[in-house]
Amino acid sequence: MKNDGWNYTDLIRLEDEGLTVSEFYPLRYPNFAEKEWRQRILDKKITLNGRPAVPDDGLSTGDVLVYRRPPWEE
């Protein structure tokens, strides 16, 4: 049986300002390569301030990124 998935929310801090979305995720979550994060962005599984993100979106302090992880088998 699959769970309901999960939303991973990140509030952009001052030290993250100026990074792009595709740069941010592999730095914050190094378990996955930039290529994998880029594909998730292109698949519209990541939003920036409530809208679908694109890999080259620049980040500012206070921005909110949400990665919607689809349901998976527990």
Side-chain angles (χ1 to χ4, degrees), residues 24-50:
F24 171 83
Y25 276 101
L27 289 172
R28 179 65 61 91
Y29 303 101
N31 298 14
F32 298 99
E34 184 174 347
K35 181 179 179 181
E36 292 171 282
W37 284 115
R38 182 175 286 274
Q39 190 58 55
R40 290 176 179 136
I41 298 164
L42 295 173
D43 290 342
K44 300 184 191 255
K45 293 179 181 174
I46 296 175
T47 60
L48 173 60
N49 298 326

Side-chain angles (χ1 to χ4, degrees), residues 3 11 16 20 26 28 36 61:
N3 59 28
L11 179 63
D16 302 319
T20 64
R28 179 65 61 91
E36 292 171 282
T61 302

Side-chain angles (χ1 to χ4, degrees), residues 46 48-49 56 60 67 74:
I46 296 175
L48 173 60
N49 298 326
D56 294 330
S60 299
Y67 164 49
E74 292 280 346

Side-chain angles (χ1 to χ4, degrees), residues 56-73:
D56 294 330
D57 278 338
L59 300 176
S60 299
T61 302
D63 283 344
V64 177
L65 284 168
V66 178
Y67 164 49
R68 172 69 180 147
R69 182 177 177 187
W72 68 92
E73 197 73 37

